Amino acid sequence: GGGGGGGGGSVSCLTLALQLLDVEERVPWEMVSSAEGLDWSLARPFWLQNVQEGRHELCTLAQAVGTLESALAEGALRRGWEEGREAWLGELLAAATATELRDALTRLEQAILWSAFEEGGGGDDKEAGRERAGKGKGGKEAKPTAGGRSRGIGEAS
């Protein structure tokens, strides 16, 4: 396997951090809450802080991608993910550029079974699914967003 560039030129760490936050925000609680040994509701604030503070550091973002993957419940990822997981982790840790790291994040995003947690979730059309996924259906239980303080919006409320 392997190979296959991400296309679209080079990616900045900031762009990658924003994509990572977007993926995490779309993950329903049901996908993370049952993960063994990690209570995402407790870990998430620290995870968000790490992504915000490390948004210019490749190694911090790589760790954050790995942490998110390990927080996902067993049924949240496509069948066959486990077999390729070691190779994926290797790519994640070896990523020397934000573009390489984005490719690893995109592979994780594509492995998440979004349709299992969407109301009337459609088939397996990856491209259309990726486009739709960003729009948010509002059918999931809302997680507190990273907004407000971390995005620097409005200092006093």
Side-chain angles (χ1 to χ4, degrees):
S10 64
V11 179
S12 72
C13 284
L14 183 59
T15 304
L16 181 66
L18 292 172
Q19 182 183 347
L20 179 55
L21 290 171
D22 174 65
V23 171
E24 190 279 337
E25 214 166 274
R26 287 185 286 128
V27 172
W29 279 118
E30 312 90 86
M31 280 191 178
V32 287
S33 55
S34 61
E36 285 179 38
L38 179 65
D39 185 341
W40 192 243
S41 63
L42 297 176
R44 186 173 191 259
F46 299 103
W47 183 87
L48 287 170
Q49 188 178 353
N50 282 343
V51 174
Q52 294 287 346
E53 291 175 358
R55 63 186 178 273
H56 299 297
E57 299 167 24
L58 205 58
C59 64
T60 303
L61 293 174
Q63 286 176 337
V65 173
T67 301
L68 178 60
E69 188 271 348
S70 65
L72 292 169
E74 222 172 280
L77 294 163
R78 288 184 197 286
R79 210 173 279 199
W81 176 259
E82 274 303 311
E83 288 83 78
R85 185 173 188 264
E86 291 302 316
W88 177 82
L89 283 171
E91 286 175 32
L92 190 65
L93 297 172
T97 66
T99 304
E100 290 175 12
L101 191 52
R102 188 210 37 201
D103 291 345
L105 175 58
T106 300
R107 280 183 48 205
L108 174 62
E109 188 179 1
Q110 288 171 345
I112 294 173
L113 293 170
W114 300 107
S115 58
F117 295 91
E118 289 174 0
E119 293 169 314
D124 242 6
D125 183 3
K126 282 183 194 167
E127 295 311 309
R130 278 226 316 268
E131 299 305 340
R132 275 197 317 272
K135 308 287 183 287
K137 289 195 169 179
K140 66 181 186 190
E141 195 180 318
K143 277 191 288 200
T145 64
R149 180 178 66 79
S150 57
R151 293 201 182 131
I153 303 168
E155 286 174 22
S157 46

